[in-house]
Amino acid sequence: MTQKLRALTAIAATAVLAVASNISDPAQSAPAADGSTPRAADGSTPRAANDSGARAAVGDVLTSAVEEPSPIDVRVRRSGRAEGELFITPQALPATHPVGPQIADDQGRPIWFHKLPEGYVSTDFRVQEYRGEKVLTWWEGKATNTGMGTGIAYIANENYEIIATVQTPDPGQVMDMHEFLLTDEGTALIISYQPVPYDLSPVGGPKDGIVINSVVQEIDIATGEKLMNWSALEHVPLNHSDVQPSPERNRPYDYLHVNSVGIDTDGNLLISGNAASTVYKVDRETGDVIWRLGGRNSDFRLGVGVRFMWQHDVQAVGNNTYRVFDNANKGTERAGYESRVAWIRVDPARGRAELVRQQVHPDLMSATLEGGSQALGNGNTFVSWGKSVAVKGRISEFTRNGRMVYDATLPDGDSSYRAYRLDWEGEPLTKPQLLVGDAASNVVHANWNGASDVARWRLLAGPADGDLKPVTTAAWDGFDTPLTVPAAARDADRLQVQALDARGKVIAASPVTPATEAAAGEN
């Protein structure tokens, strides 16, 4: 390597860290696929991944949360909705309240919450399959206001136990936050934004500039081995981008900004190039671009209503049809450029693309960032509307004919990069907890983070040397449910709560707790 290239490479790394001024490197202390702890470059062992109480290692069980997040504000809840819980990743930078991956019921009440350390965010929290079992998957790490992240992807079982982690194996590089997709082959598709010294003068930038190469990788989850590596720089020219580089040599040029990777019905890849307003169908074996849809270099003539801009979350739905979350704008919200979900059918033989249908929000929202859509089992479509100055974490569900049957706003007006409605049955390994926030209020709290089958809570009370007897019950109302202690039981020496299922059967019970200790607990 020449001395000049070494210098440029150093500048590239420094510049990315400067742009990402609030980023640390979770990958440096991340557990390996086998659960072992890697060593830093100087040979020392990095800080344990969960020293701060949030970042997890393989084998950790994430069921200790006591602090309950704010509920989702449900605005519309009509018949015709699909079944399933809500999976969201509320984001707040800087954080003014706890954030992290969260499961909520249809009424917006929290079922499970994994609190992250201050400054961390999570994305793409959902249910997927790994080794024939349903699992929870998500990315967590740090992000910048330029839309880049550095972090780790996690896989947890029904007991909320971390069973695997995924990151890029490329030395000195990190996994970005935009995609974590499991495949039937036991692999994961991920994105890594990698800085490269580059001559940007042909597109109006500095000759000794830095380009961000969007790299799509397929990783064997069990071994951490990289099985496929698609480099945007090898397949997409810089002049296909819709954005211009900065004249400053230390400002990396994120010319493509890949923000989703999907699998087409024939097994090939669908890659969304946000900064080129283009969807690329890519041969999964060779990496060659099969076709380009949208943007200034489309291989298809675009019919009326097809053109999209700054899109997110492209998915194949069959019959050469693709569902695209079309942000329709970038940076500013403009009337007539409302975000939408568009179903687009392509005809490779004729080189044409046509709009099949589209869905906008009744409030005609215009989201400049984020967003996604999900096909539900009953034919409905679930939409997360991204964020902008006006759009604050809105999620909705629509029937096939466009009727809105669900609409809600996320806690505290946060956005969620994507959101999903999915079926999940969680079985925490820990027992329920009995907590009291204020003894004078005569209210106790039944807390069981992640339990999905609790219908009611039953409070038992008794003397120090006698049997406990039921004194009251309350319907489940979030993983932290309050119960008022009746007057006749307020002199009890011992307390316990039992979790009941829909048939009234006891699922689990908290430890029997002296009332004085329960009163000292924190809620």
PDB file of all heavy atoms in Angstrom, residues 59-64 112 157-163 426-432 448-451 507-509:
ATOM      1  N   GLY A  59     -26.533 -16.196  25.803  1.00  0.00           N
ATOM      2  CA  GLY A  59     -26.843 -16.805  27.079  1.00  0.00           C
ATOM      3  C   GLY A  59     -27.547 -15.882  28.044  1.00  0.00           C
ATOM      4  O   GLY A  59     -28.159 -16.354  29.012  1.00  0.00           O
ATOM      5  N   ASP A  60     -27.494 -14.586  27.827  1.00  0.00           N
ATOM      6  CA  ASP A  60     -28.206 -13.649  28.689  1.00  0.00           C
ATOM      7  C   ASP A  60     -29.710 -13.776  28.482  1.00  0.00           C
ATOM      8  O   ASP A  60     -30.187 -14.014  27.377  1.00  0.00           O
ATOM      9  CB  ASP A  60     -27.781 -12.210  28.398  1.00  0.00           C
ATOM     10  CG  ASP A  60     -26.426 -11.876  28.988  1.00  0.00           C
ATOM     11  OD1 ASP A  60     -25.848 -12.745  29.652  1.00  0.00           O
ATOM     12  OD2 ASP A  60     -25.950 -10.745  28.776  1.00  0.00           O
ATOM     13  N   VAL A  61     -30.461 -13.589  29.555  1.00  0.00           N
ATOM     14  CA  VAL A  61     -31.923 -13.614  29.505  1.00  0.00           C
ATOM     15  C   VAL A  61     -32.425 -12.194  29.761  1.00  0.00           C
ATOM     16  O   VAL A  61     -32.145 -11.609  30.810  1.00  0.00           O
ATOM     17  CB  VAL A  61     -32.505 -14.597  30.537  1.00  0.00           C
ATOM     18  CG1 VAL A  61     -34.023 -14.563  30.504  1.00  0.00           C
ATOM     19  CG2 VAL A  61     -31.995 -16.009  30.263  1.00  0.00           C
ATOM     20  N   LEU A  62     -33.183 -11.650  28.821  1.00  0.00           N
ATOM     21  CA  LEU A  62     -33.592 -10.247  28.886  1.00  0.00           C
ATOM     22  C   LEU A  62     -35.004 -10.109  29.442  1.00  0.00           C
ATOM     23  O   LEU A  62     -35.949  -9.810  28.740  1.00  0.00           O
ATOM     24  CB  LEU A  62     -33.507  -9.617  27.495  1.00  0.00           C
ATOM     25  CG  LEU A  62     -32.171  -9.781  26.776  1.00  0.00           C
ATOM     26  CD1 LEU A  62     -32.230  -9.142  25.397  1.00  0.00           C
ATOM     27  CD2 LEU A  62     -31.044  -9.185  27.589  1.00  0.00           C
ATOM     28  N   THR A  63     -35.179 -10.366  30.734  1.00  0.00           N
ATOM     29  CA  THR A  63     -36.510 -10.286  31.330  1.00  0.00           C
ATOM     30  C   THR A  63     -36.517  -9.493  32.625  1.00  0.00           C
ATOM     31  O   THR A  63     -37.427  -9.619  33.415  1.00  0.00           O
ATOM     32  CB  THR A  63     -37.064 -11.702  31.618  1.00  0.00           C
ATOM     33  OG1 THR A  63     -36.129 -12.394  32.463  1.00  0.00           O
ATOM     34  CG2 THR A  63     -37.268 -12.486  30.352  1.00  0.00           C
ATOM     35  N   SER A  64     -35.518  -8.657  32.849  1.00  0.00           N
ATOM     36  CA  SER A  64     -35.383  -8.010  34.143  1.00  0.00           C
ATOM     37  C   SER A  64     -35.983  -6.620  34.233  1.00  0.00           C
ATOM     38  O   SER A  64     -35.879  -5.970  35.254  1.00  0.00           O
ATOM     39  CB  SER A  64     -33.896  -7.934  34.515  1.00  0.00           C
ATOM     40  OG  SER A  64     -33.195  -7.192  33.534  1.00  0.00           O
ATOM     41  N   TRP A 112     -43.505  -6.682  26.536  1.00  0.00           N
ATOM     42  CA  TRP A 112     -42.076  -6.896  26.784  1.00  0.00           C
ATOM     43  C   TRP A 112     -41.314  -5.651  26.372  1.00  0.00           C
ATOM     44  O   TRP A 112     -41.647  -5.003  25.376  1.00  0.00           O
ATOM     45  CB  TRP A 112     -41.566  -8.098  25.997  1.00  0.00           C
ATOM     46  CG  TRP A 112     -40.114  -8.406  26.226  1.00  0.00           C
ATOM     47  CD1 TRP A 112     -39.565  -9.024  27.315  1.00  0.00           C
ATOM     48  CD2 TRP A 112     -39.015  -8.127  25.346  1.00  0.00           C
ATOM     49  NE1 TRP A 112     -38.198  -9.143  27.165  1.00  0.00           N
ATOM     50  CE2 TRP A 112     -37.832  -8.606  25.961  1.00  0.00           C
ATOM     51  CE3 TRP A 112     -38.918  -7.517  24.083  1.00  0.00           C
ATOM     52  CZ2 TRP A 112     -36.580  -8.493  25.370  1.00  0.00           C
ATOM     53  CZ3 TRP A 112     -37.660  -7.406  23.495  1.00  0.00           C
ATOM     54  CH2 TRP A 112     -36.512  -7.893  24.131  1.00  0.00           C
ATOM     55  N   ASN A 157     -34.662 -16.457  21.886  1.00  0.00           N
ATOM     56  CA  ASN A 157     -35.705 -17.476  21.820  1.00  0.00           C
ATOM     57  C   ASN A 157     -36.954 -17.035  22.584  1.00  0.00           C
ATOM     58  O   ASN A 157     -37.040 -15.897  23.046  1.00  0.00           O
ATOM     59  CB  ASN A 157     -35.176 -18.820  22.314  1.00  0.00           C
ATOM     60  CG  ASN A 157     -34.735 -18.775  23.776  1.00  0.00           C
ATOM     61  OD1 ASN A 157     -35.107 -17.872  24.545  1.00  0.00           O
ATOM     62  ND2 ASN A 157     -33.931 -19.744  24.184  1.00  0.00           N
ATOM     63  N   GLU A 158     -37.923 -17.974  22.734  1.00  0.00           N
ATOM     64  CA  GLU A 158     -39.194 -17.618  23.372  1.00  0.00           C
ATOM     65  C   GLU A 158     -39.033 -17.293  24.847  1.00  0.00           C
ATOM     66  O   GLU A 158     -39.932 -16.719  25.469  1.00  0.00           O
ATOM     67  CB  GLU A 158     -40.204 -18.759  23.200  1.00  0.00           C
ATOM     68  CG  GLU A 158     -39.955 -20.000  24.026  1.00  0.00           C
ATOM     69  CD  GLU A 158     -38.925 -20.943  23.391  1.00  0.00           C
ATOM     70  OE1 GLU A 158     -38.337 -20.580  22.342  1.00  0.00           O
ATOM     71  OE2 GLU A 158     -38.732 -22.055  23.934  1.00  0.00           O
ATOM     72  N   ASN A 159     -37.886 -17.650  25.431  1.00  0.00           N
ATOM     73  CA  ASN A 159     -37.602 -17.326  26.831  1.00  0.00           C
ATOM     74  C   ASN A 159     -36.857 -16.007  26.978  1.00  0.00           C
ATOM     75  O   ASN A 159     -36.392 -15.680  28.068  1.00  0.00           O
ATOM     76  CB  ASN A 159     -36.780 -18.438  27.474  1.00  0.00           C
ATOM     77  CG  ASN A 159     -37.429 -19.802  27.358  1.00  0.00           C
ATOM     78  OD1 ASN A 159     -36.797 -20.754  26.905  1.00  0.00           O
ATOM     79  ND2 ASN A 159     -38.691 -19.909  27.730  1.00  0.00           N
ATOM     80  N   TYR A 160     -36.703 -15.268  25.878  1.00  0.00           N
ATOM     81  CA  TYR A 160     -35.969 -13.992  25.846  1.00  0.00           C
ATOM     82  C   TYR A 160     -34.491 -14.200  26.198  1.00  0.00           C
ATOM     83  O   TYR A 160     -33.845 -13.346  26.775  1.00  0.00           O
ATOM     84  CB  TYR A 160     -36.619 -12.967  26.778  1.00  0.00           C
ATOM     85  CG  TYR A 160     -38.076 -12.744  26.467  1.00  0.00           C
ATOM     86  CD1 TYR A 160     -39.071 -13.384  27.205  1.00  0.00           C
ATOM     87  CD2 TYR A 160     -38.467 -11.948  25.399  1.00  0.00           C
ATOM     88  CE1 TYR A 160     -40.412 -13.207  26.900  1.00  0.00           C
ATOM     89  CE2 TYR A 160     -39.804 -11.768  25.086  1.00  0.00           C
ATOM     90  CZ  TYR A 160     -40.775 -12.408  25.837  1.00  0.00           C
ATOM     91  OH  TYR A 160     -42.100 -12.246  25.538  1.00  0.00           O
ATOM     92  N   GLU A 161     -33.981 -15.348  25.801  1.00  0.00           N
ATOM     93  CA  GLU A 161     -32.573 -15.682  25.996  1.00  0.00           C
ATOM     94  C   GLU A 161     -31.828 -15.462  24.686  1.00  0.00           C
ATOM     95  O   GLU A 161     -32.257 -15.958  23.635  1.00  0.00           O
ATOM     96  CB  GLU A 161     -32.431 -17.134  26.444  1.00  0.00           C
ATOM     97  CG  GLU A 161     -30.993 -17.584  26.618  1.00  0.00           C
ATOM     98  CD  GLU A 161     -30.887 -19.056  26.959  1.00  0.00           C
ATOM     99  OE1 GLU A 161     -31.884 -19.790  26.779  1.00  0.00           O
ATOM    100  OE2 GLU A 161     -29.805 -19.486  27.389  1.00  0.00           O
ATOM    101  N   ILE A 162     -30.745 -14.714  24.713  1.00  0.00           N
ATOM    102  CA  ILE A 162     -29.942 -14.481  23.517  1.00  0.00           C
ATOM    103  C   ILE A 162     -29.291 -15.791  23.097  1.00  0.00           C
ATOM    104  O   ILE A 162     -28.531 -16.390  23.868  1.00  0.00           O
ATOM    105  CB  ILE A 162     -28.866 -13.417  23.762  1.00  0.00           C
ATOM    106  CG1 ILE A 162     -29.508 -12.093  24.199  1.00  0.00           C
ATOM    107  CG2 ILE A 162     -28.020 -13.211  22.502  1.00  0.00           C
ATOM    108  CD1 ILE A 162     -30.406 -11.473  23.177  1.00  0.00           C
ATOM    109  N   ILE A 163     -29.571 -16.244  21.872  1.00  0.00           N
ATOM    110  CA  ILE A 163     -29.001 -17.511  21.402  1.00  0.00           C
ATOM    111  C   ILE A 163     -27.967 -17.295  20.297  1.00  0.00           C
ATOM    112  O   ILE A 163     -27.229 -18.229  19.961  1.00  0.00           O
ATOM    113  CB  ILE A 163     -30.097 -18.476  20.910  1.00  0.00           C
ATOM    114  CG1 ILE A 163     -30.903 -17.868  19.760  1.00  0.00           C
ATOM    115  CG2 ILE A 163     -31.009 -18.886  22.065  1.00  0.00           C
ATOM    116  CD1 ILE A 163     -31.907 -18.833  19.135  1.00  0.00           C
ATOM    117  N   GLY A 426     -44.421 -15.510  24.415  1.00  0.00           N
ATOM    118  CA  GLY A 426     -43.207 -15.454  25.210  1.00  0.00           C
ATOM    119  C   GLY A 426     -43.380 -16.160  26.541  1.00  0.00           C
ATOM    120  O   GLY A 426     -44.434 -16.081  27.177  1.00  0.00           O
ATOM    121  N   GLU A 427     -42.338 -16.859  26.973  1.00  0.00           N
ATOM    122  CA  GLU A 427     -42.350 -17.588  28.243  1.00  0.00           C
ATOM    123  C   GLU A 427     -41.105 -17.205  29.043  1.00  0.00           C
ATOM    124  O   GLU A 427     -40.057 -17.836  28.916  1.00  0.00           O
ATOM    125  CB  GLU A 427     -42.383 -19.097  27.998  1.00  0.00           C
ATOM    126  CG  GLU A 427     -43.621 -19.569  27.254  1.00  0.00           C
ATOM    127  CD  GLU A 427     -43.627 -21.069  27.022  1.00  0.00           C
ATOM    128  OE1 GLU A 427     -42.724 -21.754  27.548  1.00  0.00           O
ATOM    129  OE2 GLU A 427     -44.520 -21.562  26.327  1.00  0.00           O
ATOM    130  N   PRO A 428     -41.182 -16.160  29.847  1.00  0.00           N
ATOM    131  CA  PRO A 428     -40.006 -15.738  30.620  1.00  0.00           C
ATOM    132  C   PRO A 428     -39.519 -16.845  31.553  1.00  0.00           C
ATOM    133  O   PRO A 428     -40.320 -17.605  32.110  1.00  0.00           O
ATOM    134  CB  PRO A 428     -40.523 -14.538  31.416  1.00  0.00           C
ATOM    135  CG  PRO A 428     -41.776 -14.109  30.732  1.00  0.00           C
ATOM    136  CD  PRO A 428     -42.359 -15.332  30.111  1.00  0.00           C
ATOM    137  N   LEU A 429     -38.217 -16.932  31.715  1.00  0.00           N
ATOM    138  CA  LEU A 429     -37.645 -17.902  32.637  1.00  0.00           C
ATOM    139  C   LEU A 429     -37.718 -17.403  34.076  1.00  0.00           C
ATOM    140  O   LEU A 429     -37.662 -18.203  35.014  1.00  0.00           O
ATOM    141  CB  LEU A 429     -36.190 -18.173  32.256  1.00  0.00           C
ATOM    142  CG  LEU A 429     -35.966 -18.866  30.907  1.00  0.00           C
ATOM    143  CD1 LEU A 429     -34.471 -19.017  30.629  1.00  0.00           C
ATOM    144  CD2 LEU A 429     -36.655 -20.216  30.853  1.00  0.00           C
ATOM    145  N   THR A 430     -37.831 -16.107  34.265  1.00  0.00           N
ATOM    146  CA  THR A 430     -37.918 -15.549  35.609  1.00  0.00           C
ATOM    147  C   THR A 430     -39.338 -15.637  36.140  1.00  0.00           C
ATOM    148  O   THR A 430     -40.304 -15.815  35.382  1.00  0.00           O
ATOM    149  CB  THR A 430     -37.476 -14.081  35.595  1.00  0.00           C
ATOM    150  OG1 THR A 430     -38.253 -13.380  34.621  1.00  0.00           O
ATOM    151  CG2 THR A 430     -36.009 -13.960  35.235  1.00  0.00           C
ATOM    152  N   LYS A 431     -39.478 -15.501  37.437  1.00  0.00           N
ATOM    153  CA  LYS A 431     -40.793 -15.495  38.065  1.00  0.00           C
ATOM    154  C   LYS A 431     -41.374 -14.081  38.066  1.00  0.00           C
ATOM    155  O   LYS A 431     -40.645 -13.101  37.955  1.00  0.00           O
ATOM    156  CB  LYS A 431     -40.685 -15.996  39.507  1.00  0.00           C
ATOM    157  CG  LYS A 431     -40.337 -17.470  39.629  1.00  0.00           C
ATOM    158  CD  LYS A 431     -40.326 -17.892  41.092  1.00  0.00           C
ATOM    159  CE  LYS A 431     -40.037 -19.374  41.226  1.00  0.00           C
ATOM    160  NZ  LYS A 431     -40.054 -19.810  42.657  1.00  0.00           N
ATOM    161  N   PRO A 432     -42.693 -13.976  38.224  1.00  0.00           N
ATOM    162  CA  PRO A 432     -43.290 -12.640  38.395  1.00  0.00           C
ATOM    163  C   PRO A 432     -42.715 -11.956  39.633  1.00  0.00           C
ATOM    164  O   PRO A 432     -42.180 -12.609  40.538  1.00  0.00           O
ATOM    165  CB  PRO A 432     -44.786 -12.935  38.570  1.00  0.00           C
ATOM    166  CG  PRO A 432     -44.985 -14.303  38.011  1.00  0.00           C
ATOM    167  CD  PRO A 432     -43.705 -15.045  38.245  1.00  0.00           C
ATOM    168  N   TRP A 448     -44.237  -8.742  35.273  1.00  0.00           N
ATOM    169  CA  TRP A 448     -43.679  -9.939  34.640  1.00  0.00           C
ATOM    170  C   TRP A 448     -43.385  -9.595  33.187  1.00  0.00           C
ATOM    171  O   TRP A 448     -44.211  -9.778  32.302  1.00  0.00           O
ATOM    172  CB  TRP A 448     -44.641 -11.112  34.753  1.00  0.00           C
ATOM    173  CG  TRP A 448     -43.961 -12.438  34.581  1.00  0.00           C
ATOM    174  CD1 TRP A 448     -42.627 -12.696  34.587  1.00  0.00           C
ATOM    175  CD2 TRP A 448     -44.617 -13.699  34.411  1.00  0.00           C
ATOM    176  NE1 TRP A 448     -42.387 -14.033  34.420  1.00  0.00           N
ATOM    177  CE2 TRP A 448     -43.585 -14.679  34.311  1.00  0.00           C
ATOM    178  CE3 TRP A 448     -45.947 -14.097  34.339  1.00  0.00           C
ATOM    179  CZ2 TRP A 448     -43.865 -16.039  34.135  1.00  0.00           C
ATOM    180  CZ3 TRP A 448     -46.222 -15.456  34.157  1.00  0.00           C
ATOM    181  CH2 TRP A 448     -45.198 -16.402  34.069  1.00  0.00           C
ATOM    182  N   ASN A 449     -42.213  -9.105  32.950  1.00  0.00           N
ATOM    183  CA  ASN A 449     -41.823  -8.625  31.629  1.00  0.00           C
ATOM    184  C   ASN A 449     -41.736  -9.783  30.637  1.00  0.00           C
ATOM    185  O   ASN A 449     -40.947 -10.704  30.807  1.00  0.00           O
ATOM    186  CB  ASN A 449     -40.460  -7.918  31.734  1.00  0.00           C
ATOM    187  CG  ASN A 449     -40.063  -7.221  30.455  1.00  0.00           C
ATOM    188  OD1 ASN A 449     -40.906  -6.852  29.653  1.00  0.00           O
ATOM    189  ND2 ASN A 449     -38.757  -7.031  30.268  1.00  0.00           N
ATOM    190  N   GLY A 450     -42.574  -9.722  29.583  1.00  0.00           N
ATOM    191  CA  GLY A 450     -42.495 -10.696  28.506  1.00  0.00           C
ATOM    192  C   GLY A 450     -43.509 -11.810  28.538  1.00  0.00           C
ATOM    193  O   GLY A 450     -43.592 -12.593  27.587  1.00  0.00           O
ATOM    194  N   ALA A 451     -44.283 -11.945  29.605  1.00  0.00           N
ATOM    195  CA  ALA A 451     -45.288 -13.007  29.673  1.00  0.00           C
ATOM    196  C   ALA A 451     -46.473 -12.634  28.792  1.00  0.00           C
ATOM    197  O   ALA A 451     -47.087 -11.593  28.977  1.00  0.00           O
ATOM    198  CB  ALA A 451     -45.737 -13.218  31.110  1.00  0.00           C
ATOM    199  N   ILE A 507     -50.500 -19.699  36.182  1.00  0.00           N
ATOM    200  CA  ILE A 507     -49.344 -19.929  35.307  1.00  0.00           C
ATOM    201  C   ILE A 507     -48.065 -19.909  36.115  1.00  0.00           C
ATOM    202  O   ILE A 507     -47.180 -20.760  35.957  1.00  0.00           O
ATOM    203  CB  ILE A 507     -49.268 -18.849  34.211  1.00  0.00           C
ATOM    204  CG1 ILE A 507     -50.547 -18.795  33.393  1.00  0.00           C
ATOM    205  CG2 ILE A 507     -48.060 -19.090  33.308  1.00  0.00           C
ATOM    206  CD1 ILE A 507     -50.591 -17.614  32.426  1.00  0.00           C
ATOM    207  N   ALA A 508     -47.943 -18.928  36.990  1.00  0.00           N
ATOM    208  CA  ALA A 508     -46.747 -18.760  37.812  1.00  0.00           C
ATOM    209  C   ALA A 508     -47.084 -17.818  38.959  1.00  0.00           C
ATOM    210  O   ALA A 508     -48.116 -17.132  38.941  1.00  0.00           O
ATOM    211  CB  ALA A 508     -45.586 -18.201  36.987  1.00  0.00           C
ATOM    212  N   ALA A 509     -46.213 -17.799  39.948  1.00  0.00           N
ATOM    213  CA  ALA A 509     -46.435 -16.938  41.115  1.00  0.00           C
ATOM    214  C   ALA A 509     -45.128 -16.289  41.533  1.00  0.00           C
ATOM    215  O   ALA A 509     -44.042 -16.844  41.330  1.00  0.00           O
ATOM    216  CB  ALA A 509     -47.009 -17.747  42.274  1.00  0.00           C
TER     217      ALA A 509
END
